[in-house]
Amino acid sequence: MSNMARFQARPFHTCRRYAAGVHQEPRIERSERPEYRGDFVGTPTLTYAPHKDDEPDPGEVVWTWVPYEEDHEQGKDRPVLIIGHHDDLLLALPLTSKDHDRDAAQEAGEGRFWIDIGTGDWDAQGRPSEARTDRILQLDPDTVRRIGGRLPKDRFDAVATQVIARATVEHQILTASESG
């Protein structure tokens, strides 16, 4: 059975396998990955609706393959926070355990903005995480490898506020450049 066949055959409740100590998933080769449809552009409709089921829902942190911003053909497996839907796709923000408070000015200069979301079940080592609020991924729900945890509503609301603020600024910049 190919890696992709194993990947597609795995139900969303693979988080149980993770809890049982099975951390390594098969590597998904480039030719077997679904085509990435590009980052979301615009102001998303954000929803907080986690459910105790095996489906990825807004408000949950899940693990999936995330393409690099500069080359969508390459990427890595990482946690993302699902923030809503667009058509048949999930909208999600990349997460990191790197502390960007120390290099916030440099990150902002590169157009990258982060918000602390704290710790959760998605990180086995219990490290604090940050969500990137200026890059909204569009993900096929079938690419979700496992559900890692649920973000508390108050933290989700703080993330949502920053995502909407960033989208508003981006829209104003785009509008000004088109009319100028």
Side-chain angles (χ1 to χ4, degrees):
M1 181 184 290
S2 74
N3 281 347
M4 191 57 173
R6 281 193 300 267
F7 182 74
Q8 290 176 332
R10 267 196 317 275
F12 287 114
H13 57 73
T14 55
C15 54
R16 291 185 194 132
R17 286 186 54 192
Y18 181 77
V22 180
H23 300 286
Q24 188 64 37
E25 291 293 326
R27 177 182 165 87
I28 307 302
E29 298 301 324
R30 179 182 305 168
S31 62
E32 298 175 324
R33 282 189 217 116
E35 182 179 337
Y36 182 63
R37 296 197 224 171
D39 292 357
F40 179 82
V41 177
T43 303
T45 300
L46 304 178
T47 311
Y48 183 80
H51 299 287
K52 290 189 178 200
D53 60 14
D54 295 332
E55 300 293 323
D57 301 307
E60 293 176 342
V61 174
V62 302
W63 284 80
T64 188
W65 184 83
V66 174
Y68 293 136
E69 191 169 16
E70 60 278 356
D71 180 0
H72 291 169
E73 293 294 316
Q74 298 184 44
K76 66 180 181 177
D77 192 58
R78 65 179 314 124
V80 298
L81 171 62
I82 301 174
I83 59 171
H85 295 92
H86 180 250
D87 298 329
D88 61 336
L89 301 174
L90 299 170
L91 298 180
L93 305 176
L95 301 184
T96 185
S97 58
K98 182 177 178 187
D99 183 5
H100 285 290
D101 290 344
R102 290 179 275 150
D103 62 354
Q106 176 185 343
E107 285 291 294
E110 296 293 325
R112 295 184 295 261
F113 298 89
W114 301 87
I115 185 171
D116 294 325
I117 63 167
T119 61
D121 294 341
W122 58 86
D123 188 287
Q125 297 174 348
R127 297 173 294 188
S129 295
E130 295 185 8
R132 184 170 171 190
T133 59
D134 62 286
R135 183 178 186 208
I136 303 174
L137 307 166
Q138 297 187 102
L139 304 173
D140 182 326
D142 291 336
T143 64
V144 171
R145 184 168 62 77
R146 71 174 172 86
I147 299 170
R150 179 184 303 186
L151 195 67
K153 175 94 167 79
D154 63 327
R155 286 193 252 166
F156 183 88
D157 289 344
V159 171
T161 299
Q162 189 164 328
V163 168
I164 296 300
R166 292 285 351 127
T168 301
V169 167
E170 292 297 322
H171 176 72
Q172 290 170 345
I173 292 170
L174 181 61
T175 303
S177 68
E178 289 174 351
S179 64

